[in-house]
Amino acid sequence: MSGRELSVVEIQERVRAELGRLADVVEPLGSLFAEAGEEISLVGGPVRDIMLGRLQQDLDLTTSARPDVTERLLRDWAGTTWDMGRAFGTIGCRKGPWTIEVTTYRADDYAPDSRKPAVAFGDSLTGDLRRRDFSVNSMALRLVPGEVDAELVDPYGGLVDLAHRTLRTPGPAEMSFSDDPLRMMRAARFAAQLGFEVAPEVVEAMTAMSDRIEIVSAERVRDELVKLVCAPEPRRGLRLLVESGLAERVLPELPALALERDEHHRHKDVYEHTLTVLDQAIALEDRLPGGGPDFVARFAALMHDVGKPRTRRFTDDGTVTFHHHDVVGAKLTRKRMRELRFPTDVTDAVSHLVELHLRFHGYGSGEWTDSAVRRYVRDAGPELDRLHVLTRADCTTRNRRKAERLRRTYDELEERIARLREQEQLESIRPDLDGNRIMQVLGIGPGPEVGRAYRWLLDLRLENGPMEAAEAEAALKDWWATQR
């Protein structure tokens, strides 16, 4: 998304084109609210996105009308409304392809120890715009009754900031971040989503006030982090989190990767390496079944080396080792994701990938047996495609010959997996005998011995591939004799 600055004329042309596409919304809503003696305007993110040529199907509007009036007017126009946001003055509806939310002008008041405002309705559009996070989100297009045209209301210079691709707060940044510290995270997220630069005074306020983020709930921080990581340019936002000190509060494992390098530079800059792995994982997302953005793959790339600071050791000859950083990193990842209240399945998937990210390097030049390949697939489970992406992305060497050798070796491994998958249905590998047959063959009832036998048969299946039932039964009896 980052790129050249935009001209005001170019922005105006986009606005006219998008308003024409919105004619079925802006014309009737402008007339409907005007006839009721109320103002209504497109506001915030949709206005910004109209100017950037990236408008989606969700529209936010603001109005002088109180919620009861808004609800009545929208019901007359759209037929069906919802009011889950009524306490905040928001009434929603659908019209054609558009999801529409209309909110009464707000003039909220924030307590110093909370980011949750005391909701108060305002009486002016300008006052409503002032309470918003950034100037590019503090513009409105006031709907003109019965017309496609709209009047731009921009009291805080959002148009110029958008043209210059800059994030700035409508008022003093310190006041904005004091009111709602989550806006500091949003600055990093919007930088990553839009490719914008953050104004120096905003970065300065973020740095000075980074400790304020601690009053924000873990769930809110998590949601912003997910949006940042899934943005087109997460590196930009992550750098801002680290440089402002916010990362120390919300994801301390990331700045910890900026290890002091030994005087002979005998190990890579782990922080820069990690950001490069993230970039390369994003570039490989088209290999994943759903494409991208894929949070699990990206966050695993971001966290894959977080065990290195804890495991770094200097040997007698001055070289550096990070033994078992995969296992340590998986534990640290799980701990951090639990603290950020990630769902268990997401936490399990990311931690599992971090723990497995070095497994391929035991493959050498392709000496693995079929048994080892089966175990690689079995251990990866449903994360196999993401593990392919992470392993390939983790190659950041500048040595072209080495990089090409690693690529060819992993190509070969994937080809072997594909062949075995076709022959043996690798994803559903099970022992050649089920629990009932195990009990029949051994003459035993339910109990822990059945589980032991099942696991032994599974290892046998992984080692030798599929077996005929009679062969498996004979092997089971031989094994059982040694156990008794």
Side-chain angles (χ1 to χ4, degrees):
M1 284 295 299
S2 61
R4 63 179 179 81
E5 294 186 357
L6 303 170
S7 72
V8 173
V9 171
E10 184 178 359
I11 292 172
Q12 290 170 335
E13 289 175 351
R14 286 179 178 174
V15 170
R16 279 192 292 270
E18 288 297 301
L19 287 178
R21 192 164 69 92
L22 288 168
D24 291 343
V25 173
V26 298
E27 287 186 32
L29 281 181
S31 296
L32 193 65
F33 278 76
E35 290 167 5
E38 307 287 358
E39 299 175 347
I40 186 167
S41 307
L42 278 165
V43 71
V47 175
R48 177 200 69 219
D49 290 344
I50 282 173
M51 294 179 174
L52 292 172
R54 61 194 295 274
L55 182 64
Q56 307 300 314
Q57 301 302 116
D58 296 340
L59 300 178
D60 294 331
L61 297 100
T62 187
T63 180
S64 58
R66 293 303 190 252
D68 288 346
V69 175
T70 298
E71 185 176 35
R72 173 174 55 81
L73 295 174
L74 291 182
R75 186 182 295 118
D76 291 343
W77 175 62
T80 302
T81 63
W82 58 84
D83 66 350
M84 288 182 293
R86 180 183 290 275
F88 300 95
T90 301
I91 305 296
C93 70
R94 281 192 65 84
K95 187 71 171 181
W98 307 104
T99 299
I100 298 164
E101 291 192 342
V102 182
T103 303
T104 302
Y105 294 156
R106 297 264 294 273
D108 299 339
D109 185 38
Y110 289 83
D113 60 346
S114 174
R115 69 167 294 273
K116 296 180 179 179
V119 177
F121 296 142
D123 56 9
S124 75
L125 177 57
T126 300
D128 180 89
L129 295 176
R130 182 175 180 81
R131 71 178 184 83
R132 295 175 183 269
D133 51 8
F134 302 103
S135 62
V136 296
N137 296 330
S138 299
M139 296 182 283
L141 290 168
R142 198 194 311 264
L143 304 189
V144 179
E147 296 184 18
V148 177
D149 203 0
E151 173 195 352
L152 175 64
V153 181
D154 179 22
Y156 305 109
L159 180 62
V160 172
D161 285 341
L162 186 137
H164 292 163
R165 309 185 76 85
T166 299
L167 286 174
R168 201 182 311 275
T169 53
E174 294 82 1
M175 182 180 297
S176 179
F177 297 154
S178 179
D179 284 348
D180 185 357
L182 190 64
R183 290 171 177 170
M184 296 185 287
M185 291 285 295
R186 296 186 79 193
R189 189 246 292 183
F190 281 128
Q193 282 184 333
L194 304 175
F196 282 18
E197 295 296 328
V198 180
E201 69 274 15
V202 176
V203 176
E204 185 177 339
M206 291 170 64
T207 305
M209 302 177 68
S210 60
D211 62 329
R212 283 280 292 167
I213 198 67
E214 293 179 0
I215 72 168
V216 180
S217 71
E219 291 84 357
R220 296 273 186 172
V221 170
R222 174 202 66 206
D223 291 348
E224 285 298 324
L225 187 61
V226 170
K227 291 174 184 176
L228 189 163
V229 170
C230 291
E233 298 182 56
R235 176 191 281 255
R236 182 188 291 264
L238 292 167
R239 279 195 183 282
L240 180 56
L241 290 183
V242 171
E243 291 166 6
S244 66
L246 276 166
E248 289 279 1
R249 313 276 178 176
V250 301
L251 194 65
E253 294 78 9
L254 183 59
L257 292 174
L259 300 169
E260 289 184 20
R261 299 180 69 184
D262 63 287
E263 60 180 335
H264 300 294
H265 303 290
R266 287 185 173 137
H267 65 84
K268 293 179 180 177
D269 183 326
V270 184
Y271 172 65
E272 290 298 331
H273 163 75
T274 294
L275 295 181
T276 300
V277 171
L278 174 59
D279 288 341
Q280 294 183 170
I282 293 170
L284 292 168
E285 282 180 332
D286 59 355
R287 288 173 168 264
L288 298 176
D294 186 281
F295 174 77
V296 169
R298 292 186 182 198
F299 204 59
L302 189 63
M303 302 294 283
H304 78 284
D305 273 348
V306 296
K308 281 191 171 179
R310 293 269 186 99
T311 59
R312 183 174 65 159
R313 300 290 184 272
F314 291 96
T315 61
D316 292 340
D317 64 0
T319 57
V320 184
T321 65
F322 301 98
H323 294 313
H324 307 301
H325 77 267
D326 47 347
V327 177
V328 173
K331 292 178 180 178
L332 292 173
T333 298
R334 185 176 296 278
K335 180 175 183 291
R336 178 58 50 202
M337 294 185 74
R338 283 175 174 169
E339 290 181 359
L340 289 171
R341 307 290 194 272
F342 275 93
T344 300
D345 60 336
V346 177
T347 300
D348 289 346
V350 174
S351 303
H352 193 48
L353 287 167
V354 172
E355 186 170 8
L356 291 178
H357 83 273
L358 291 180
R359 184 72 63 86
F360 161 73
H361 296 286
Y363 189 68
S365 301
E367 300 90 351
W368 278 5
T369 62
D370 283 352
S371 169
V373 175
R374 292 188 194 100
R375 292 177 189 278
Y376 188 77
V377 174
R378 194 273 305 270
D379 291 347
E383 304 310 321
L384 181 61
D385 289 320
R386 287 175 171 139
L387 182 58
H388 291 334
V389 166
L390 176 59
T391 303
R392 289 179 180 276
D394 196 23
C395 175
T396 61
T397 179
R398 295 181 181 178
N399 183 323
R400 290 186 178 181
R401 184 174 298 175
K402 181 179 178 182
E404 180 60 23
R405 184 174 68 251
L406 286 170
R407 185 193 65 77
R408 285 197 310 268
T409 304
Y410 206 85
D411 284 346
E412 178 189 315
L413 175 58
E414 286 202 58
E415 288 168 4
R416 289 183 65 188
I417 290 172
R419 287 196 301 271
L420 285 172
R421 176 182 277 161
E422 185 176 352
Q423 295 166 7
E424 304 180 16
Q425 298 180 324
L426 291 184
E427 284 78 2
S428 57
I429 284 183
R430 291 180 175 83
D432 296 292
L433 307 177
D434 64 16
N436 288 328
R437 187 58 185 154
I438 289 172
M439 289 188 288
Q440 291 173 2
V441 170
L442 299 182
I444 60 176
E449 292 88 354
V450 179
R452 288 175 50 224
Y454 187 94
R455 289 189 292 275
W456 182 82
L457 283 170
L458 178 59
D459 282 339
L460 187 67
R461 168 73 171 78
L462 289 167
E463 188 67 31
N464 297 333
M467 301 172 67
E468 294 293 335
E471 185 182 4
E473 290 174 7
L476 177 62
K477 289 177 181 178
D478 290 342
W479 171 79
W480 183 243
T482 67
Q483 301 305 299
R484 300 190 63 165

